[in-house]
């Protein structure tokens, strides 16, 4: 996969279903590295993608009918004062399907879903080292709300965590 989406190559986004488990687990196992995720999490992946949260928390992207990415969208807070703030707790595109607009399509779908739910804001955390994701979020209107220096020690390097958010 090296071409841009066109009339012949389409990215579509839909809600996840239980049957996506194996495809999403495969994506999860190969999509993250030390610049984007936590190696300890990768080491402890179970054999079920939906162990962490069920299909209802996920949007799934398909490219030419093949599952190539996901976005996990959840309420940030469990109490009513924080209702209306959603959080992206995971976003990944399979390495073979990157730079084809999959991440963008998932973020557009998350915005639409947030508006549908009457949310006012979508927030997320991103590693300071994750240039690809930071650029993607910026292009979708997310701004840095906070920086946490020296937040994580990953493979010998102290990195910052950034809070980013977009108002809906
Ligand atoms: C970040 C990630 C989700 C992007 O997914 P993607 O499907 O490749 O993104 P898109 O094709 O929609 O890219 C849209 C825009 O984002 C930016 N972008 C994406 N990847 C980039 C990269 N490697 N370098 C610079 N900018 C990048 C570009 O502006 C791009 O537009 P362009 O291709 O016209 O230049 C993907 O690289 C990934 O899964 N990374 C590992 C997991 C991860 O980091 N998740 C986010 C955790 S917070």
């Amino acid at each position: 996969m090296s071409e841009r989406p066109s009339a012949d190559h389409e990215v579509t986004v839909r809600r996840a279903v239980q049957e996506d488990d194996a495809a999403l687990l495969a994506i999860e196992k190969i999509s993250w590295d030390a610049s984007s995720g936590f190696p300890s999490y990768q080491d402890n992946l179970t054999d079920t993608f939906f162990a962490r949260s069920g299909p209802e928390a996920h949007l799934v992207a398909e490219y030419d009918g093949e599952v190539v990415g996901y976005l996990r969208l959840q309420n940030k807070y469990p109490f009513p004062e924080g209702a209306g703030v959603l959080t992206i707790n995971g976003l990944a595109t399979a390495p073979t399907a990157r730079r084809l607009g999959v991440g963008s399509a998932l973020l557009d779908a998350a915005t639409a879903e947030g508006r549908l739910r009457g949310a006012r804001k979508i927030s997320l955390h991103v590693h300071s080292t994750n240039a690809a994701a930071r650029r993607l979020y910026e292009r979708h209107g997310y701004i840095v709300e906070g920086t946490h220096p020296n937040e994580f020690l990953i493979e010998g390097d102290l990195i910052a965590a950034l809070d980013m958010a977009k108002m809906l």
Side-chain angles (χ1 to χ4, degrees):
M1 288 177 189
S2 58
E3 302 141 74
R4 293 261 142 193
S6 66
D8 298 332
H9 299 278
E10 197 188 359
V11 182
T12 55
V13 177
R14 59 171 173 77
R15 291 173 195 281
V17 292
Q18 188 62 44
E19 289 69 28
D20 294 319
D21 194 90
L24 293 178
L25 184 64
I27 290 171
E28 192 75 335
K29 284 182 173 168
I30 56 172
S31 290
W32 301 87
D33 62 18
S35 73
S36 56
F38 297 107
S40 64
Y41 167 72
Q42 292 303 116
D43 292 345
N44 292 306
L45 270 180
T46 64
D47 56 4
T48 310
F49 178 81
F50 292 128
R52 184 171 163 185
S53 41
E56 68 286 349
H58 298 83
L59 298 167
V60 162
E62 293 185 1
Y63 186 85
D64 286 350
E66 184 187 342
V67 173
V68 290
Y70 77 86
L71 185 151
R72 187 179 293 117
L73 186 66
Q74 296 174 299
N75 290 322
K76 184 168 185 181
Y77 302 104
F79 45 85
E81 291 80 359
V85 184
L86 301 179
T87 186
I88 295 174
N89 278 331
L91 165 65
T93 300
T96 51
R98 289 187 185 166
R99 302 306 284 266
L100 296 172
V102 171
S104 277
L106 284 163
L107 284 181
D108 285 345
T111 296
E113 172 76 16
R115 289 186 176 136
L116 198 67
R117 291 196 213 170
R120 62 177 173 275
K121 180 175 179 177
I122 300 180
S123 70
L124 58 90
H125 302 289
V126 60
H127 290 358
S128 55
T129 44
N130 194 347
R134 289 175 64 178
R135 180 86 190 110
L136 172 67
Y137 295 135
E138 280 164 11
R139 286 193 61 177
H140 281 262
Y142 287 76
I143 59 164
V144 175
E145 289 192 323
T147 303
H148 306 270
N150 292 354
E151 191 79 351
F152 302 118
L153 179 63
I154 299 181
E155 295 185 343
D157 293 320
L158 283 168
I159 69 149
L162 307 182
D163 298 331
M164 297 186 80
K166 172 189 174 110
M167 300 300 165
L168 297 179

